[in-house]
Amino acid sequence: MEQVIGKLYVVATPIGNLADISQRALDVLRQVDLIAAEDTRHSARLMEAYSINTPLKAYHDHNEDYQSGVLVEKLLAGQNIALISDAGTPLINDPGYRLLSAVHDAGITVVPVPGANAAIALLSVSGLAVNSFTFEGFPPVKSQQRQGYYAKWLKSPHTHVFYESSHRIVASLRDALSVLGQERQVAMGREITKTFETIKRCSLAELCEFVEADNNQQKGEFVIVVSRAEVDESGSENEVREMLEKVLPIISLKQASQVVAELTGQKKNKIYQIALEMQEGDG
Ligand code: SAM
């Protein structure tokens, strides 16, 4: 008879508030044979809160290689296993990559059980454009490399989201300010879903001031969202000229400047100057 192999469930757990766990996640954690957890002592609190008695096994950065092999053997022998991390969605800056890679190689079925994630939680309330964003985990620890990391976003058309530790939050925001300038819009999520949650949306200069002025705002866990770069006005001048060419023969110079400014988000004075040049060129 053919051996029935188990499934690997990748289960998101809360990022603070223990109520942020789905019914399906709880059912899976109760029903599997084993839970592979980043820190078994940390996860024991969640298990206790929901009276889950499934055995826990440590799976973390230092034993990933060895444990991946052990867990794949168990799955092949028919056990169902859930992978969880200390907080949020496993693999998102958390261990699990080697296990998932080995599991796919072995032809084992994987099942996502989605839920909390700190980056997505902040993006969802940031009020910044989130149709296109990049996520690169934590910035480098050293200031010079960190400035290089931020410099990639100087002209980026994407919103950026990253994690930062309480040890580096002040220095990291200062580096971001020095590279990206005072006016870049940002959002900070601190201690999301926990008692001292802070959600702050402002300019980079204001955020630096806010965090530096209050020691409490330097404690806990942080996610930062940085808005995409402003429209590159030099790059879009052709677009402005094209629009003006169409509207100038029909409406006044003043009206045309206003309409094109509204459509492109660029400054009316600048567009007026271009329109004037174009009219004089024609005359
Ligand atoms: N897998 C997790 C997730 O889905 O969000 C992230 C794991 S990563 C190792 C941990 C980092 O996520 C923290 O250092 C912090 O930057 C961020 N983080 C986790 N929980 C958070 C929370 N409640 N509020 C703000 N940031 C949080």
Side-chain angles (χ1 to χ4, degrees):
M1 209 172 75
E2 204 185 318
Q3 167 82 48
V4 177
I5 64 174
K7 289 181 185 166
L8 178 71
Y9 295 85
V10 179
V11 181
T13 57
I15 56 168
N17 188 325
L18 285 190
D20 288 336
I21 188 158
S22 71
Q23 186 57 54
R24 181 165 170 245
L26 293 173
D27 292 345
V28 166
L29 293 177
R30 289 198 181 100
Q31 285 159 14
V32 291
D33 299 294
L34 183 72
I35 299 171
E38 191 180 357
D39 176 344
T40 52
R41 273 173 48 197
H42 176 94
S43 295
R45 290 197 284 276
L46 178 70
M47 304 305 140
E48 206 179 299
Y50 287 102
S51 307
I52 296 168
N53 300 316
T54 311
L56 291 168
K57 193 170 185 55
Y59 176 89
H60 45 67
D61 284 337
H62 307 295
N63 70 4
E64 260 197 277
D65 266 341
Y66 171 71
Q67 278 303 342
S68 295
V70 173
L71 294 172
V72 166
E73 292 284 300
K74 288 182 186 296
L75 287 156
L76 291 173
Q79 289 198 15
N80 289 313
I81 298 177
L83 173 70
I84 61 173
S85 63
D86 284 353
T89 304
L91 278 96
I92 309 299
N93 259 95
D94 271 338
Y97 168 71
R98 285 197 182 82
L99 175 61
L100 267 292
S101 173
V103 157
H104 281 289
D105 287 348
I108 295 163
T109 302
V110 295
V111 184
V113 183
N117 168 258
I120 298 293
L122 182 61
L123 282 168
S124 74
V125 295
S126 70
L128 297 169
V130 291
N131 284 349
S132 157
F133 63 86
T134 69
F135 169 72
E136 290 182 46
F138 289 87
V141 172
K142 295 209 172 109
S143 180
Q144 204 180 354
Q145 280 102 313
R146 204 160 49 212
Q147 289 183 13
Y149 170 93
Y150 291 134
K152 289 189 293 182
W153 309 347
L154 259 173
K155 297 217 182 283
S156 169
H158 312 290
T159 295
H160 300 274
V161 57
F162 62 99
Y163 294 149
E164 190 50 284
S165 99
S166 56
H167 307 297
R168 287 181 281 276
I169 188 69
V170 171
S172 192
L173 288 177
R174 279 269 147 221
D175 281 342
L177 180 81
S178 72
V179 174
L180 299 170
Q182 312 224 349
E183 299 304 321
R184 190 64 84 92
Q185 290 298 299
V186 288
M188 177 182 85
R190 187 182 74 90
E191 295 288 274
I192 297 174
T193 77
K194 302 186 203 176
T195 312
F196 297 107
E197 177 181 87
T198 306
I199 304 290
K200 176 106 179 137
R201 155 75 192 280
C202 54
S203 71
L204 202 36
E206 283 166 319
L207 184 61
C208 281
E209 217 173 281
F210 174 76
V211 174
E212 280 181 32
D214 182 353
N215 281 344
N216 289 324
Q217 292 299 333
Q218 300 168 20
K219 295 178 187 154
E221 298 194 279
F222 295 84
V223 191
I224 308 291
V225 173
V226 171
S227 72
R228 62 190 179 190
E230 289 287 309
V231 181
D232 179 349
E233 302 216 344
S234 61
S236 48
E237 192 170 316
N238 284 346
E239 188 196 0
V240 167
R241 285 182 184 277
E242 271 170 29
M243 284 188 195
L244 286 171
E245 254 166 27
K246 292 199 179 101
V247 293
L248 272 177
I250 330 166
I251 51 178
S252 74
L253 195 119
K254 202 171 152 203
Q255 282 173 318
S257 312
Q258 198 160 357
V259 168
V260 175
E262 262 167 29
L263 288 174
T264 59
Q266 296 200 33
K267 293 202 178 68
K268 206 169 79 186
N269 284 351
K270 189 186 159 190
I271 291 173
Y272 186 86
Q273 285 308 318
I274 298 174
L276 203 59
E277 261 173 49
M278 286 172 68
Q279 265 197 348
E280 281 167 0
D282 282 345

